Amino acid sequence: MNRLIRVFLAVVIASALLLFAINRLNKAEGFAGDNTLTIYNWGDYIDDELIDRFEEETGIKIIYETFDSNEAMLTKIQQGGTTYDIAVPSEYMIDKMREEDLLIPLDHSKIPNLKNIDERFMDLPFDPANKYSVPYFWGTVGIVYNTKMLNDIEITSWNDLWNPALKNEILLVDGAREVMGMGLNSLNYSLNDTNEAHLKEAKEKLDSLTPNIKAIVGDEIKILIANEEAAVGVVWSGDAADMMWENENLDYVVPSEGSNLWFDNMVIPKTAKNVDAAHQFINFMLDPEVSAQNTEWVSYSTPNKAALEFMPEEMVEDERFYPSPELTEKLEVYENLGKKNLAMYNDFFLQFKMHRK
Ligand code: SPD
């Protein structure tokens, strides 16, 4: 073989090896141009079968990661070094992310299924005209309780939780706004109160609940309460619905002093590498039958009006999880209180957690 042919072959082999290496790297890290979609969602918040179906239908590979609080999600995205194409924050966090220029405006022409969303959940104050976000699930914060374990103890209000008969029986969801909100609501303060003295009072009121608190937990709250490891839980409504499918002794109430109405929406963060696929995925999730399947699996309340007809009647007609607009109007939506005030909520929540140790 003459020298020229040897050099030519070496160049061809080296190029092939280089292309192979680049391809592997793209697959592993979700680089631009790669046919992957990276989703960052709450735990237990999608039917895995739908991920498989989307992959099969589109040829797009999904990389899926979960978080357990809005704050954890924000920190991860702020830190950089991630390539999330989709995230699912709640309302006040969407406002904050928009303010911090962390979101990409949506192209509504690529989301025709947006027409399926109930108007009631569109154009809300945290995202006028749904410029950055599309409704995924919604719900309330309330109390799930085991009627069999509690005998005659009635639970209708936040203040009922301070009953000494509930010693070591309460599990709390691990959320700063939720737990501080419970303290604030029990004192008839707003969930968006920014008066430091009120927040301190709420924290001290929570401290006095310590003997009744068994633990502050994440998604495992569902198994613990369904298995009757505790009689009472302060939870998001959909988790209560899920537990109630598992255990018929459970009931759910939105406390009489008031509570939180929340909305989790899909957004495309600026970290996105595959904006087209992100729009494709959002549109897929808004298909009525897909949304109905997801809702039945997740147990949270769907904002997708067209999906309701594909769901069991007993689910859609359950006013505990699909409260009327009259009732939801009485509830408070968390506002983006600004960096300083949100930090104050987190600090008091942390102090409360430390107090329990
Ligand atoms: N396991 C999924 C939980 C999702 C709940 N999101 C509620 C956010 C309320 N701010």
Side-chain angles (χ1 to χ4, degrees):
M1 221 187 298
N2 80 28
R3 194 165 169 269
L4 202 62
I5 293 178
R6 277 206 309 271
V7 170
F8 175 73
L9 280 178
V11 169
V12 168
I13 291 167
S15 309
L17 285 173
L18 191 66
L19 278 175
F20 178 74
I22 289 172
N23 191 27
R24 292 293 297 262
L25 199 62
N26 280 350
K27 281 215 161 88
E29 307 204 8
F31 282 2
D34 181 19
N35 211 15
T36 61
L37 179 73
T38 309
I39 299 176
Y40 197 30
N41 197 358
W42 296 81
D44 285 351
Y45 221 27
I46 198 165
D47 179 351
D48 287 343
E49 247 183 58
L50 293 171
I51 295 186
D52 296 343
R53 190 169 142 193
F54 180 81
E55 289 183 328
E56 274 160 30
E57 283 180 12
T58 62
I60 297 167
K61 166 103 188 72
I62 290 186
I63 298 168
Y64 196 80
E65 275 186 43
T66 61
F67 58 84
D68 56 14
S69 73
N70 279 298
E71 288 66 29
M73 184 261 337
L74 177 69
T75 309
K76 192 92 185 275
I77 288 183
Q78 278 169 333
Q79 275 167 352
T82 56
T83 57
Y84 300 129
D85 296 300
I86 301 254
V88 190
S90 308
E91 64 301 299
Y92 71 99
M93 195 48 79
I94 292 169
D95 192 34
K96 189 169 166 58
M97 292 174 88
R98 182 196 50 75
E99 202 174 83
E100 294 190 17
D101 197 23
L102 293 172
L103 301 178
I104 291 179
L106 301 175
D107 181 347
H108 285 204
S109 73
K110 293 185 176 158
I111 318 174
N113 281 333
L114 202 51
K115 66 176 187 303
N116 297 325
I117 299 292
D118 190 332
E119 273 182 18
R120 197 177 148 203
F121 301 102
M122 296 289 287
D123 194 24
L124 294 176
F126 58 89
D127 183 23
N130 291 83
K131 187 169 176 193
Y132 297 98
S133 72
V134 162
Y136 186 61
F137 283 114
W138 67 283
T140 56
V141 173
I143 304 171
V144 65
Y145 59 97
N146 187 312
T147 49
K148 185 188 82 186
M149 290 170 83
L150 290 183
N151 294 316
D152 288 335
I153 304 174
E154 252 201 85
I155 297 200
T156 57
S157 74
W158 290 120
N159 278 293
D160 287 337
L161 299 184
W162 273 259
N163 183 342
L166 297 182
K167 186 157 190 267
N168 208 30
E169 284 296 350
I170 303 177
L171 295 177
L172 299 181
V173 62
D174 193 1
R177 296 273 323 237
E178 284 73 14
V179 175
M180 286 304 294
M182 166 175 109
L184 287 164
N185 268 169
S186 75
L187 294 161
N188 292 317
Y189 293 137
S190 159
L191 291 178
N192 295 307
D193 202 322
T194 52
N195 179 322
E196 189 170 352
H198 292 173
L199 283 164
K200 185 163 182 284
E201 204 184 326
K203 185 258 174 205
E204 282 165 3
K205 174 110 190 246
L206 290 169
D207 287 346
S208 70
L209 186 64
T210 298
N212 288 2
I213 299 172
K214 189 170 192 135
I216 301 175
V217 281
D219 280 333
E220 61 274 30
I221 199 163
K222 293 193 276 187
I223 293 174
L224 293 171
I225 297 216
N227 289 349
E228 307 199 332
E229 301 284 339
V232 179
V234 172
V235 294
W236 293 304
S237 49
D239 283 357
D242 201 30
M243 297 171 206
M244 286 161 62
W245 284 106
E246 302 294 324
N247 185 327
E248 59 180 17
N249 299 320
L250 297 175
D251 203 350
Y252 176 76
V253 65
V254 175
S256 54
E257 300 95 333
S259 189
N260 168 233
L261 172 69
W262 54 263
F263 308 96
D264 288 343
N265 285 20
M266 292 180 272
V267 298
I268 305 184
K270 282 227 164 132
T271 52
K273 298 284 179 217
N274 204 343
V275 176
D276 263 341
H279 281 90
Q280 247 180 290
F281 181 80
I282 291 174
N283 196 50
F284 172 80
M285 292 311 292
L286 298 192
D287 171 86
E289 286 183 63
V290 167
S291 171
Q293 179 178 334
N294 199 31
T295 306
E296 276 197 64
W297 191 92
V298 171
S299 294
Y300 276 82
S301 314
T302 182
N304 192 318
K305 203 172 177 178
L308 298 178
E309 68 175 274
F310 297 98
M311 288 167 51
E313 256 174 45
E314 74 262 31
M315 213 170 173
V316 175
E317 284 169 8
D318 191 333
E319 290 227 341
R320 290 168 299 187
F321 303 112
Y322 285 87
S324 64
E326 293 74 50
L327 200 134
T328 51
E329 261 160 40
K330 292 188 189 131
L331 302 175
E332 271 187 293
V333 179
Y334 298 140
E335 287 164 18
N336 171 16
L337 303 174
K339 203 171 178 163
K340 188 173 139 267
N341 291 319
L342 287 175
M344 188 160 68
Y345 271 74
N346 290 337
D347 285 352
F348 275 122
F349 180 52
L350 206 64
Q351 283 174 36
F352 159 66
K353 282 180 157 180
M354 300 300 285
H355 173 91
R356 296 185 56 251
K357 301 231 155 110

